[in-house]
Amino acid sequence: MNYPENVAAAADYLKKAIPHIVGRKIPANPINYALWYNYVANHIPALNKAIDDILSNNVSITPEQSLSLYLQFIINEHALNNKQTANNERTLKDITEIATKLLSNLNSSMSGTESFEQQLNDNIAQMQEAKSLDQVSDIVDSIVISTESMKSASQQHISDLKASTDEIASLKHQLQRAERKATVDQLTQLYNRHSFDTQLSQLTQNEAVASSVCLILADLDHFKSFNDDYGHVIGDRVLQRMGELIQDHCPDNAIGARYGGEEFAIILSNSSIEQAAEVAELLRSKLQQVRVKLKNSDKILNNISSSFGVARFEAGESIETFIDRTDQALYRAKDNGRNRVEIF
């Protein structure tokens, strides 16, 4: 699952998610927080519908229902993108068993305590008045501390909880490594084409974010000649250096991907077209400074360059049209002599 929102939007979703959890007396654990964060952000419409269907007949959601929703709508997305399906199924089975016990323990330890409920009500009131992410973070810390204090009555419970948490963390790490292999281009260490398509789709579906989404397409100039003249090893090294430049010199609101072959794509959220063009120009300039030494030779490859096209998303257009407009700007850069930035 990818989350395109900036710090302010994330803080707003956090403020909206906590009252849902506490108001329905749902355990404030990571699984439930992930569900309600995605619910208030409307990242997964099918999840929202499933939750609404449950709440239409019930006041709250049971731990078993929470776990089922979490596995179906959040964890399963990772599994679908994972090439190591058999290993992932075993990992998810382990997570399911541990999380079920953890949910049960947390649910029993958090219910029926009036002082704890009062503390949570106070936290809700403070949350609604919070003005910054730091304030929200402090309140969430308070909720966590209150929860931990309830569990301190049973040392055995704490030991079991820690063991479960550690095991889930280990399994989550395994899952993240598997997911990374399925979403990252191994040569350049940028996102692959599938991940690019997914993230661009998510960003442009959110109207509040889509209006400030820009796209940069880059194509290495005369790249075929590198492979023809110096071999694929040198060609791969040039691709790697381009990937390094994108990772090192793009801002935090950028998502870099290998679009295909010698083509690269950069998605910028919360950006103006002028800012996107500045990023493209910086990469163009940095790439010109790249030098690649040929193996077993004194020769230095110093004529590496790329052409760039830049466009900004327009309300109501399809992703295909958005990419096509950016591509038109890229081809104009090539037609006008290469090694330049053009804006649609």
Side-chain angles (χ1 to χ4, degrees), residues 19 23 25 39 43-44 54 116 131 199 214 224 227 230 237 332 339:
K25 297 184 180 180
Y39 179 85
H43 282 317
I44 311 172
I54 293 174
F116 179 63
K131 302 297 184 184
Q199 297 194 58
C214 290
K224 186 176 181 298
N227 287 330
Y230 309 111
R237 183 57 186 144
R332 188 162 64 242
N339 190 24

Side-chain angles (χ1 to χ4, degrees), residues 48-98:
N48 283 40
K49 183 179 186 303
I51 290 177
D52 290 339
D53 288 344
I54 293 174
L55 294 178
S56 66
N57 298 315
N58 303 281
V59 175
S60 189
I61 295 178
T62 67
E64 293 76 17
Q65 289 171 326
S66 293
L67 180 60
S68 177
L69 292 171
Y70 179 75
L71 293 174
Q72 180 180 354
F73 293 102
I74 297 177
I75 290 294
N76 275 357
E77 179 171 330
H78 298 305
L80 289 174
N81 289 330
N82 191 343
K83 296 179 181 178
Q84 300 175 339
T85 304
N87 290 337
N88 237 27
E89 287 178 351
R90 288 194 294 272
T91 300
L92 291 175
K93 182 176 182 294
D94 292 340
I95 290 177
T96 300
E97 293 175 353
I98 297 168

Side-chain angles (χ1 to χ4, degrees), residues 40-203:
V40 300
N42 196 27
H43 282 317
I44 311 172
L47 170 63
N48 283 40
K49 183 179 186 303
I51 290 177
D52 290 339
D53 288 344
I54 293 174
L55 294 178
S56 66
N57 298 315
N58 303 281
V59 175
S60 189
I61 295 178
T62 67
E64 293 76 17
Q65 289 171 326
S66 293
L67 180 60
S68 177
L69 292 171
Y70 179 75
L71 293 174
Q72 180 180 354
F73 293 102
I74 297 177
I75 290 294
N76 275 357
E77 179 171 330
H78 298 305
L80 289 174
N81 289 330
N82 191 343
K83 296 179 181 178
Q84 300 175 339
T85 304
N87 290 337
N88 237 27
E89 287 178 351
R90 288 194 294 272
T91 300
L92 291 175
K93 182 176 182 294
D94 292 340
I95 290 177
T96 300
E97 293 175 353
I98 297 168
T100 300
K101 295 177 183 177
L102 186 59
L103 278 169
S104 177
N105 290 340
L106 283 173
N107 194 46
S108 61
S109 68
M110 293 175 67
S111 61
T113 305
E114 292 181 2
S115 61
F116 179 63
E117 291 180 1
Q118 181 59 51
Q119 178 65 40
L120 289 182
N121 288 332
D122 292 342
N123 290 142
I124 290 176
Q126 295 172 21
M127 186 76 72
Q128 292 171 342
E129 299 296 325
K131 302 297 184 184
S132 69
L133 184 58
D134 288 340
Q135 290 177 326
V136 172
S137 180
D138 290 341
I139 297 167
V140 172
D141 287 344
S142 175
I143 293 174
V144 172
I145 291 171
S146 298
T147 305
E148 291 296 330
S149 68
M150 292 189 62
K151 292 179 285 186
S152 64
S154 170
Q155 188 61 44
Q156 183 60 47
H157 179 73
I158 292 176
S159 298
D160 293 344
L161 182 65
K162 184 179 186 303
S164 296
T165 302
D166 290 345
E167 192 167 356
I168 286 178
S170 175
L171 292 168
K172 179 182 177 183
H173 181 63
Q174 293 177 29
L175 203 61
Q176 287 174 334
R177 285 189 302 175
E179 179 196 27
R180 179 170 178 78
K181 290 186 68 174
T183 59
V184 171
D185 175 68
Q186 297 305 302
L187 180 64
T188 63
Q189 293 302 299
L190 299 174
Y191 283 111
N192 59 25
R193 174 63 182 273
H194 175 74
S195 297
F196 164 82
D197 290 339
T198 299
Q199 297 194 58
L200 183 61
S201 176
Q202 290 175 348
L203 283 169

Side-chain angles (χ1 to χ4, degrees), residues 219-235:
D219 194 322
L220 292 171
D221 296 330
H222 306 295
F223 181 75
K224 186 176 181 298
S225 65
F226 295 145
N227 287 330
D228 292 344
D229 296 342
Y230 309 111
H232 288 279
V233 172
I234 294 300

Side-chain angles (χ1 to χ4, degrees), residues 260-298:
E262 67 271 24
E263 291 186 277
F264 295 82
I266 302 159
I267 307 169
L268 289 161
S269 58
N270 193 27
S271 172
S272 67
I273 190 71
E274 293 79 13
Q275 290 169 329
E278 289 175 3
V279 171
E281 177 58 31
L282 175 62
L283 292 173
R284 187 201 65 78
S285 175
K286 291 292 183 182
L287 184 61
Q288 278 201 297
Q289 301 171 30
V290 168
R291 302 291 182 265
V292 175
K293 185 178 185 301
L294 302 184
K295 189 176 181 179
N296 301 324
S297 170
D298 293 332

